[in-house]
Amino acid sequence: MLADPIQTLRDHGIQPSAQRVEVARYVLDTDEHPSADRVWEVVRERQPTISRATIYNTLNLFVEHGLLRTLLLSEGHVVFDPKTNRHHHFVDEATGRIVDVPWDALDVGRIDELPFEVADYQVVLRGRLS
Amino acid sequence: MLADPIQTLRDHGIQPSAQRVEVARYVLDTDEHPSADRVWEVVRERQPTISRATIYNTLNLFVEHGLLRTLLLSEGHVVFDPKTNRHHHFVDEATGRIVDVPWDALDVGRIDELPFEVADYQVVLRGRLS
DNA sequence: GCATTGATTTAGACTGAGTCTAAAACTGGA
DNA sequence: TCCAGTTTTAGACTCAGTCTAAATCAATGC
């Protein structure tokens, strides 16, 4: 539950306009990993005049301010993830549903032996939800 | 080096038209992880009349026949990977370059403890090439 | 060599995700 | 109330990926 979306936005240097607050209420509190158009669909239920450009602008603003991360897990569109702490993802190939996997549920060894400067990594799993 | 693209296509149940052979020569023998438009750019050097629809049709055909895999590693487009054996990927955030990481270079533990039927997984790393 | 048939390619229209822009609307301070 | 700065809006635009009708190609049979 996002306790105080207005304060959350202010804490991240974002002016809390009515539109941004409604977007935040949903996207910063969901584990759906929605697309931008899914966000628009949901927020329009509560705020019918909100425009598609505002949705894209607001999502991109939240990403820039560290409130959201973009993920490339679905074909054809990016998805948004409010959990900014490290974790893995499972993608159900039947439904497209994306599920967070706790960081400590998997052990990943020998990253430091690779000849790269690794800034970030995650395990992406695909299959079927049991 | 792709020794015999014509035979490779025949072995995978694909009629080896001149266009498909040229696409195969490049895309089944590169470690670039190219986009569809990059494939078109390269193949057009050798075969200037090939159309963009043929490129997409041919890449999709190769995916269907197990010669290629699609990957969601770059924003804005899918990339194609001829290595169909399991491996991980590193994405250079500065250049966008994608590098294969051998399967055995990393240890991933406790996949079987997850509450999913996992069909496939890989580690996706991002950072800078040293 | 020609006709026929089935497969493939082509050119470009189309769709949808994501971006951009000018005008309108909003908000806060004076 | 006015003004300046910010935000939102409506829709045009770009580009990745798909679709389609017509053209082309290739193989086969006569």
Side-chain angles (χ1 to χ4, degrees), chain A residues 53-111:
Chain A
T54 297
I55 297 291
Y56 274 96
N57 290 338
T58 303
L59 291 172
N60 289 333
L61 185 69
F62 289 359
V63 171
E64 282 161 33
H65 285 247
L67 282 167
L68 277 180
R69 296 196 336 180
T70 59
L71 294 168
L72 303 172
L73 294 174
S74 298
E75 288 199 29
H77 56 266
V78 304
V79 299
F80 295 90
D81 190 351
K83 287 199 177 66
T84 53
N85 58 321
R86 299 208 289 183
H87 57 287
H88 307 290
H89 289 99
F90 175 85
V91 185
D92 186 306
E93 294 188 309
T95 62
R97 187 175 159 198
I98 298 164
V99 177
D100 290 323
V101 174
W103 190 248
D104 294 332
L106 299 176
D107 298 319
V108 182
R110 297 162 61 204
I111 298 284

Side-chain angles (χ1 to χ4, degrees), chain B residues 22-92:
Chain B
E22 283 313 311
V23 172
R25 267 194 220 289
Y26 166 62
V27 80
L28 300 186
D29 198 40
T30 185
D31 57 6
E32 259 188 74
H33 304 81
S35 64
D37 275 1
R38 171 64 185 159
V39 174
W40 189 32
E41 187 186 334
V42 171
V43 176
R44 246 189 325 188
E45 288 171 5
R46 320 178 200 180
Q47 210 181 62
T49 58
I50 194 163
S51 79
R52 189 166 170 269
T54 297
I55 297 292
Y56 274 95
N57 289 339
T58 303
L59 291 172
N60 290 333
L61 185 70
F62 288 179
V63 171
E64 281 162 34
H65 285 247
L67 283 167
L68 278 180
R69 295 195 339 178
T70 59
L71 294 168
L72 304 172
L73 294 174
S74 298
E75 286 199 31
H77 55 267
V78 305
V79 299
F80 294 90
D81 190 352
K83 287 197 176 68
T84 52
N85 57 322
R86 298 207 290 182
H87 58 288
H88 307 290
H89 288 99
F90 174 86
V91 184
D92 186 304

Side-chain angles (χ1 to χ4, degrees), chain B residues 15 17 19-20 49 51 53-54:
Chain B
Q15 289 198 55
S17 68
Q19 288 84 349
R20 290 173 180 169
T49 58
S51 79
T54 297

Side-chain angles (χ1 to χ4, degrees), chain A residues 5-6 9 15-26 37-56 58 62:
Chain A
I6 296 175
L9 296 186
Q15 289 198 52
S17 67
Q19 288 86 347
R20 289 172 180 170
V21 169
E22 286 310 313
V23 171
R25 269 195 217 290
Y26 166 62
D37 275 2
R38 170 64 184 159
V39 174
W40 189 31
E41 186 186 336
V42 170
V43 176
R44 247 188 326 189
E45 286 171 7
R46 320 178 201 179
Q47 211 181 61
T49 58
I50 193 163
S51 79
R52 189 166 171 270
T54 297
I55 297 291
Y56 274 96
T58 303
F62 289 359

